[in-house]
Amino acid sequence: MLFALLCNDKPDHLQLRLDTRPAHLEYLDSLGDTVKFAGPFLGDDGKPNGSLVVVEAADKAAAEAIAASDPYAKAGLFQDVTVRPWNWAIKNPANA
Protein backbone atom coordinates (compact mmCIF):
# COMPACT_ATOMS: atom_id res chain seq x y z
CA MET A 1 0.00 0.00 0.00
CA LEU A 2 1.23 3.50 -0.81
CA PHE A 3 1.32 6.40 1.64
CA ALA A 4 2.03 10.08 1.06
CA LEU A 5 4.10 11.73 3.77
CA LEU A 6 3.19 15.42 3.69
CA CYS A 7 5.74 17.33 5.75
CA ASN A 8 5.67 21.07 6.46
CA ASP A 9 8.79 22.78 7.78
CA LYS A 10 8.76 25.07 10.77
CA PRO A 11 9.06 28.71 9.68
CA ASP A 12 12.58 30.10 9.43
CA HIS A 13 14.26 26.67 9.57
CA LEU A 14 15.86 26.66 6.11
CA GLN A 15 19.39 26.38 7.52
CA LEU A 16 18.41 23.31 9.55
CA ARG A 17 17.02 21.76 6.35
CA LEU A 18 20.22 22.52 4.46
CA ASP A 19 22.43 21.20 7.25
CA THR A 20 20.42 17.97 7.58
CA ARG A 21 19.87 17.36 3.87
CA PRO A 22 22.79 14.93 3.31
CA ALA A 23 21.57 12.64 6.12
CA HIS A 24 17.98 12.93 4.86
CA LEU A 25 18.98 11.91 1.33
CA GLU A 26 21.12 9.04 2.63
CA TYR A 27 18.18 7.82 4.72
CA LEU A 28 15.74 7.90 1.80
CA ASP A 29 18.29 6.14 -0.42
CA SER A 30 18.74 3.44 2.24
CA LEU A 31 15.03 2.62 1.97
CA GLY A 32 15.52 1.37 -1.60
CA ASP A 33 12.31 0.57 -3.47
CA THR A 34 10.22 1.49 -0.43
CA VAL A 35 10.47 5.11 -1.61
CA LYS A 36 8.49 5.59 -4.81
CA PHE A 37 9.32 9.28 -5.23
CA ALA A 38 10.17 12.29 -3.11
CA GLY A 39 11.01 15.96 -3.26
CA PRO A 40 10.66 19.29 -1.52
CA PHE A 41 7.71 21.65 -1.52
CA LEU A 42 8.77 25.16 -2.54
CA GLY A 43 7.63 28.50 -1.20
CA ASP A 44 6.83 31.52 -3.35
CA ASP A 45 10.50 32.46 -3.00
CA GLY A 46 11.53 29.15 -4.61
CA LYS A 47 13.13 27.87 -1.39
CA PRO A 48 12.19 24.48 0.09
CA ASN A 49 9.67 24.60 2.92
CA GLY A 50 8.48 21.02 3.25
CA SER A 51 8.63 17.56 1.73
CA LEU A 52 6.48 15.10 -0.16
CA VAL A 53 7.61 11.50 0.17
CA VAL A 54 5.58 8.61 -1.22
CA VAL A 55 6.43 5.25 0.31
CA GLU A 56 5.19 1.70 0.10
CA ALA A 57 4.42 0.27 3.53
CA ALA A 58 2.40 -2.57 5.04
CA ASP A 59 0.12 -0.18 6.91
CA LYS A 60 -0.17 3.38 8.22
CA ALA A 61 1.83 2.59 11.36
CA ALA A 62 4.76 1.40 9.23
CA ALA A 63 4.56 4.55 7.08
CA GLU A 64 4.48 6.70 10.23
CA ALA A 65 7.59 4.89 11.48
CA ILE A 66 9.38 5.70 8.21
CA ALA A 67 8.40 9.37 8.60
CA ALA A 68 9.52 9.48 12.25
CA SER A 69 12.92 7.97 11.39
CA ASP A 70 13.71 10.63 8.77
CA PRO A 71 16.68 12.76 9.88
CA TYR A 72 14.63 15.88 9.12
CA ALA A 73 11.99 14.73 11.62
CA LYS A 74 14.62 13.75 14.19
CA ALA A 75 16.27 17.18 13.83
CA GLY A 76 12.97 18.93 14.58
CA LEU A 77 12.58 20.48 11.12
CA PHE A 78 8.92 19.68 10.61
CA GLN A 79 6.06 21.72 11.98
CA ASP A 80 3.70 18.87 11.12
CA VAL A 81 3.61 15.60 9.22
CA THR A 82 0.49 14.05 7.74
CA VAL A 83 0.53 10.41 6.59
CA ARG A 84 -2.23 9.56 4.14
CA PRO A 85 -2.98 6.42 2.12
CA TRP A 86 -2.52 7.18 -1.56
CA ASN A 87 -3.46 5.51 -4.84
CA TRP A 88 -1.09 6.12 -7.76
CA ALA A 89 -3.69 6.05 -10.52
CA ILE A 90 -2.14 8.09 -13.36
CA LYS A 91 1.27 7.38 -14.98
CA ASN A 92 2.20 4.74 -12.43
CA PRO A 93 5.19 2.88 -13.93
CA ALA A 94 4.03 -0.30 -12.19
CA ASN A 95 0.96 -0.29 -14.43
CA ALA A 96 2.90 0.20 -17.67
Side-chain angles (χ1 to χ4, degrees):
M1 180 173 223
L2 295 178
F3 292 88
L5 314 179
L6 306 161
C7 311
N8 294 302
D9 293 1
K10 293 176 182 171
D12 302 316
H13 278 65
L14 179 59
Q15 192 59 52
L16 178 60
R17 173 178 274 275
L18 297 175
D19 292 345
T20 313
R21 187 171 187 266
H24 164 75
L25 294 177
E26 183 178 313
Y27 171 69
L28 292 183
D29 188 51
S30 77
L31 295 174
D33 290 340
T34 296
V35 175
K36 298 307 175 186
F37 60 86
F41 289 116
L42 303 175
D44 292 338
D45 59 3
K47 294 179 181 171
N49 63 7
S51 299
L52 168 63
V53 181
V54 175
V55 298
E56 187 169 14
D59 53 33
K60 186 174 181 182
E64 289 171 340
I66 291 169
S69 296
D70 188 315
Y72 280 165
K74 289 182 172 185
L77 174 63
F78 297 136
Q79 178 173 301
D80 57 75
V81 176
T82 303
V83 177
R84 297 184 62 181
W86 187 70
N87 181 30
W88 193 346
I90 307 299
K91 296 194 179 185
N92 181 342
N95 296 338

